[in-house]
C-alpha cells in the first residue's frame, strides 16, 4: 500500500537513523512531514480538505461531513481494518435502486481534519495482512479499499430549504498478481496467492466484457465471481469517475507480467462511462415541487400582464363582508 495509498515507492525507510524505529512510525512520520514521499492518498486527501475549508469559508450556508472506512479482501473474505475484532463481513446487494454492493456492519469514522484521516489510514495499514517471499519482504496479501463518504449540506435562504448532496471517494490498492515459480510461496502463502490471482482474473474478465459492451451494463456476467468485482461494481459502471493506475516494472525479467498489465490497462481504458449527479427521491420531489411553484408564478405574472393590457383590473376586487347588527 505504500506506493499508491501511502508513500512513494522510492521512500527508503531504513536509511535515516534519526527516524523512529518501527516501520509504522516511519510511515506515520513521512505521511505528515515529508510531502515529497507522500503517495496519492495523502496528497488527494490534503487537496480534498483544502477544498472543503475554502468552500465553507466562502459560503456560511455550506457545511461538509466526511466519514472514512477501510477494508481488505483477504482470501475472498472482507475484513474491517478499523476494528480489532477479526471476522468476515457480509457483502450485500443494494435493494433501494443503487448500483452495486455494500459491506454490512462496516465501521465508519467521522474525520474533520486531514490528521484524523491519516490516523484512520495508519490504523488500517497496521491491521492489513502482509508476508514476505522471494520477491518482496512486505508483500500485501489482500486487496484494500479506503472509502470516504462525503456529505454536503447547502441551506437555501430564499426557499428555506436544505439541499443534501452525497458522494463517495474510494482508494483501491490491488494486490499484484504473483508467479509461484518466482515467489516460491508455499502453505498459507500459496493459498493467498491463489485467491489473489483468482480475484484479479475475475476483475480482468469483467473489464474485458465491459470494454466490449461499452461499459454501461449492470448485467455483465461475472460480478458475483469475487468480492473484489462486487465492491468495484459501482466504480466500473456507476455514475462516478474512475481512474486506474497500472504499475509496470522496467526490468526485462518481468516482460510477461508487464505485457499482461498493459493489456489489462488498455481494456480498462476502453470502458465508456458518463458521470452524472444522482439525486435521492426526496431531492427529486423537492426539485419537482420547486419547478411547479416557479411555473405557477410565471403563469400568474403572464395572466396579470394580459389583464392589464386589456384594461381590466389585474387584481380582483376585495370581497366585502356584510356585518349584521344585533
Amino acid at each position: 500500500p505504500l506506493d499508491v495509498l501511502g508513500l512513494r515507492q522510492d521512500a527508503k525507510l531504513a536509511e535515516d537513523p534519526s527516524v523512529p524505529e518501527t516501520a509504522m512510525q516511519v510511515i506515520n512520520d513521512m505521511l505528515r512531514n515529508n510531502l515529497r514521499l507522500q503517495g496519492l492518498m495523502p496528497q488527494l486527501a490534503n487537496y480534498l480538505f483544502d477544498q472543503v475549508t475554502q468552500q465553507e469559508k466562502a459560503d456560511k450556508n455550506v457545511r461538509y461531513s466526511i466519514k472514512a472506512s477501510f477494508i481488505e479482501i483477504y482470501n475472498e473474505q472482507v475484513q474491517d481494518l478499523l476494528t480489532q475484532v477479526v471476522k468476515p463481513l457480509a457483502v450485500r446487494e443494494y435493494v433501494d435502486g443503487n448500483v452495486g454492493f455494500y459491506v454490512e456492519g462496516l465501521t465508519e469514522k467521522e474525520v474533520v481534519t486531514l490528521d484524523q484521516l491519516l490516523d484512520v489510514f495508519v490504523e488500517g495499514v497496521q491491521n492489513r495482512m502482509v508476508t514476505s517471499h522471494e520477491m518482496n519482504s512486505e508483500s500485501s496479501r489482500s486487496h484494500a479499499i479506503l472509502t470516504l463518504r462525503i456529505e454536503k449540506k447547502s441551506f437555501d435562504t430564499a426557499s428555506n430549504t436544505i439541499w443534501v448532496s452525497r458522494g463517495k471517494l474510494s482508494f483501491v490498492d490491488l494486490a499484484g498478481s504473483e508467479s509461484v515459480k518466482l515467489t516460491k510461496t508455499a502453505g498459507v502463502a500459496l493459498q493467498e496467492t491463489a485467491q489473489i490471482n483468482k480475484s484479479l482474473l475475475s476483475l480482468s474478465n469483467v473489464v474485458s466484457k465491459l470494454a466490449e459492451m461499452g461499459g454501461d451494463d449492470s448485467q455483465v456476467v461475472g460480478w458475483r465471481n469475487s468480492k473484489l468485482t462486487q465492491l468495484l461494481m459501482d466504480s466500473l459502471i456507476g455514475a462516478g469517475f474512475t481512474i486506474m493506475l497500472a504499475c509496470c516494472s522496467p526490468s526485462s525479467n518481468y516482460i510477461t507480467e508487464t505485457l499482461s498489465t498493459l493489456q489489462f490497462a488498455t481494456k480498462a481504458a476502453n470502458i465508456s462511462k458518463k458521470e452524472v449527479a444522482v439525486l435521492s427521491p426526496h431531492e427529486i420531489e423537492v426539485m419537482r415541487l420547486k419547478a411547479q411553484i416557479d411555473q405557477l408564478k410565471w403563469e400568474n405574472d403572464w395572466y396579470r400582464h394580459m389583464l392589464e393590457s386589456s384594461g381590466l383590473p389585474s387584481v380582483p376586487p376585495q370581497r366585502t363582508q356584510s356585518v349584521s347588527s344585533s
Side-chain angles (χ1 to χ4, degrees):
L2 302 185
D3 51 350
V4 174
L5 291 181
L7 306 177
R8 289 172 55 90
Q9 206 165 23
D10 56 359
K12 303 300 183 182
L13 300 184
E15 290 183 356
D16 187 354
S18 65
V19 298
E21 292 183 357
T22 68
M24 288 315 305
Q25 285 176 316
V26 175
I27 292 172
N28 202 4
D29 179 70
M30 288 184 174
L31 283 174
R32 290 169 168 81
N33 303 322
N34 198 327
L35 182 62
R36 186 183 68 83
L37 296 180
Q38 287 182 356
L40 288 179
M41 192 284 291
Q43 294 188 52
L44 290 175
N46 188 46
Y47 176 79
L48 171 65
F49 279 98
D50 281 346
Q51 292 297 307
V52 167
T53 301
Q54 291 178 22
Q55 291 192 30
E56 289 185 340
K57 285 184 177 179
D59 189 346
K60 299 300 182 183
N61 293 319
V62 172
R63 285 294 176 267
Y64 283 88
S65 65
I66 302 175
K67 293 183 178 180
S69 61
F70 204 175
I71 65 168
E72 69 173 353
I73 305 173
Y74 172 71
N75 277 348
E76 201 53 23
Q77 292 185 337
V78 177
Q79 298 181 165
D80 193 339
L81 293 176
L82 301 182
T83 178
Q84 298 302 317
V85 180
V86 180
K87 66 175 183 179
L89 299 179
V91 176
R92 308 291 187 192
E93 187 171 8
Y94 284 111
V95 295
D96 56 0
N98 290 327
V99 174
F101 299 77
Y102 67 96
V103 179
E104 190 175 53
L106 187 62
T107 301
E108 284 192 323
K109 294 189 175 183
E110 185 167 6
V111 289
V112 180
T113 65
L114 176 61
D115 275 341
Q116 289 180 352
L117 176 56
L118 294 179
D119 287 341
V120 168
F121 170 73
V122 170
E123 179 183 355
V125 172
Q126 284 179 312
N127 293 328
R128 192 173 175 188
M129 295 294 296
V130 295
T131 192
S132 61
H133 53 64
E134 291 294 320
M135 298 180 63
N136 192 344
S137 60
E138 292 188 5
S139 172
S140 300
R141 313 312 293 163
S142 65
H143 309 298
I145 304 177
L146 173 66
T147 301
L148 305 181
R149 295 190 179 275
I150 307 166
E151 182 178 271
K152 175 185 177 182
K153 290 185 178 180
S154 305
F155 180 67
D156 186 352
T157 55
S159 61
N160 198 33
T161 303
I162 296 178
W163 295 95
V164 180
S165 303
R166 296 180 178 88
K168 184 178 75 169
L169 177 62
S170 296
F171 300 92
V172 183
D173 180 38
L174 299 178
S177 60
E178 295 182 352
S179 168
V180 176
K181 181 180 179 180
L182 295 176
T183 60
K184 298 180 180 179
T185 53
V188 174
L190 180 60
Q191 180 184 356
E192 294 168 346
T193 297
Q195 291 295 339
I196 290 171
N197 291 343
K198 180 181 177 181
S199 61
L200 290 175
L201 177 61
S202 296
L203 177 61
S204 178
N205 291 338
V206 167
V207 166
S208 298
K209 191 68 175 179
L210 283 173
E212 294 172 4
M213 303 178 65
D216 191 18
D217 192 338
S218 61
Q219 303 303 316
V220 173
V221 176
W223 290 116
R224 298 179 183 277
N225 288 348
S226 73
K227 297 292 195 307
L228 178 64
T229 51
Q230 289 178 350
L231 294 178
L232 293 185
M233 182 178 180
D234 60 347
S235 296
L236 293 172
I237 66 169
F241 185 79
T242 301
I243 297 176
M244 185 176 293
L245 302 180
C247 301
C248 301
S249 170
S251 172
S252 59
N253 293 333
Y254 308 113
I255 185 65
T256 301
E257 290 80 2
T258 297
L259 288 175
S260 176
T261 300
L262 292 176
Q263 289 171 352
F264 172 77
T266 301
K267 293 176 183 177
N270 290 330
I271 297 177
S272 176
K273 290 186 61 183
K274 183 178 181 180
E275 297 76 40
V276 295
V278 180
L279 301 177
S280 68
H282 172 72
E283 290 171 323
I284 294 174
E285 179 65 12
V286 170
M287 292 186 66
R288 186 188 69 81
L289 293 175
K290 188 176 184 299
Q292 190 175 47
I293 291 172
D294 291 341
Q295 176 68 19
L296 292 173
K297 286 181 178 179
W298 182 87
E299 292 177 0
N300 184 62
D301 291 340
W302 186 84
Y303 283 118
R304 178 172 293 179
H305 172 73
M306 293 297 294
L307 287 172
E308 290 175 347
S309 62
S310 65
L312 296 174
S314 59
V315 179
Q318 294 289 328
R319 181 179 179 184
T320 59
Q321 294 181 347
S322 60
V323 180
S324 59
S325 58
S326 54

